[in-house]
Amino acid sequence: MDTTTLLETAARGDQAAWDTLVDRYASLLWAIARGHRLSDADAADVVQTTWLKLVENLGRIKDPDRLPGWLATTARHECLRQLRRAGRERPSDDRDWADEPAGHAGVDAALLLDERNATLWRALATLSEQCRQLLRVLMATPPPSYADVAAALGMPVGSIGPTRQRCLARLRERAGAAGLGTEDRT
C-alpha cells in the first residue's frame, strides 16, 4: 500500500494501516534517537512522542510522499528537546552534600558563574533570531551533525559554519560590551 493510502486509512481509524506505518518507519525513528546517543528510555520517549505528533497531524500531512522526512525532522526535534531537558535535570543525593568541604569559596564561585551565564544569555537575546536558533541548536550535547542542523533550521549545510562564526563574533562583542570578559573563549 502506498503512503498516501496508508495515511488516509490510518486517519479514518484503520489499525492495520497504522501498524503498517509503524512497521515501515519505526527503524528510522529508532536510528535517529540512537544517533543522538539517548538512553533506551529517552529514545523510547522520543519515538513515542514522534508517533503521537503524527497522530495529532494525520489530517494535515500535505505531501504523504515526504512522510519519512517529516518523521525524521520531528524525531530530531524531539531528540534535541530531550537532550535540553536532560541537561537541566540534575538528580541530587543528599549524601553528595556531605562530601562538600565547608566554606564559602564554592558559593562565591557559583555566584560568579551564575552572573557570567546570565550576562551571556542577555547578550544572546540581543542577537538575531537566526543566530539565537543556530547557537542554541549547536549547544546541544552531543552536538548535532550539520546535516541535522540544516534540516532543523532549513539552512544549507555549507552556510552553517560561516554563520556560526559570525554569530559567535557578534555574541563575543555584545558580551564584552556587557562586561563579560572575552578571555574565557570556549
Side-chain angles (χ1 to χ4, degrees):
M1 211 182 291
D2 70 331
T3 307
T4 303
T5 306
L6 284 172
L7 283 173
E8 289 171 356
T9 53
R12 290 193 303 264
D14 185 311
Q15 185 63 44
W18 181 256
D19 290 343
T20 302
L21 284 169
V22 171
D23 288 342
R24 192 175 288 178
Y25 299 112
S27 61
L28 169 70
L29 300 182
W30 280 100
I32 291 168
R34 287 190 179 115
H36 282 80
R37 297 186 181 128
L38 298 175
S39 69
D40 288 342
D42 288 344
D45 286 347
V46 163
V47 171
Q48 184 177 11
T49 302
T50 303
W51 288 122
L52 176 62
K53 292 202 181 255
L54 177 60
V55 168
E56 292 171 346
N57 292 286
L58 270 175
R60 294 186 216 144
I61 304 292
K62 293 181 175 145
D63 188 357
D65 292 331
R66 297 180 75 190
L67 179 64
W70 187 93
L71 287 169
T73 300
T74 303
R76 283 187 209 101
H77 285 266
E78 289 305 316
C79 287
L80 295 175
R81 185 174 291 120
Q82 186 69 30
L83 290 167
R84 281 191 304 272
R85 187 178 313 123
R88 288 191 301 257
E89 296 172 2
R90 305 250 191 241
S92 176
D93 186 352
D94 290 339
R95 290 175 287 171
D96 291 342
W97 291 98
D99 296 334
E100 290 290 321
H104 299 289
V107 173
D108 291 346
L111 288 173
L112 290 172
L113 182 62
D114 287 347
E115 184 177 317
R116 186 191 81 176
N117 289 343
T119 301
L120 187 59
W121 281 109
R122 280 192 301 272
L124 183 70
T126 66
L127 298 178
S128 70
E129 181 66 23
Q130 180 188 23
C131 281
R132 288 194 311 266
Q133 285 180 343
L134 179 62
L135 293 177
R136 283 184 178 140
V137 168
L138 292 173
M139 283 191 289
T141 304
S145 70
Y146 275 16
D148 290 341
V149 174
L153 300 179
M155 295 176 67
V157 172
S159 72
I160 293 172
T163 304
R164 174 183 169 264
Q165 288 179 320
R166 285 191 300 275
C167 292
L168 286 173
R170 286 187 202 114
L171 182 61
R172 280 187 199 103
E173 289 172 8
R174 293 178 184 177
L180 184 62
T182 56
E183 67 279 349
D184 194 20
R185 292 184 184 181
T186 55

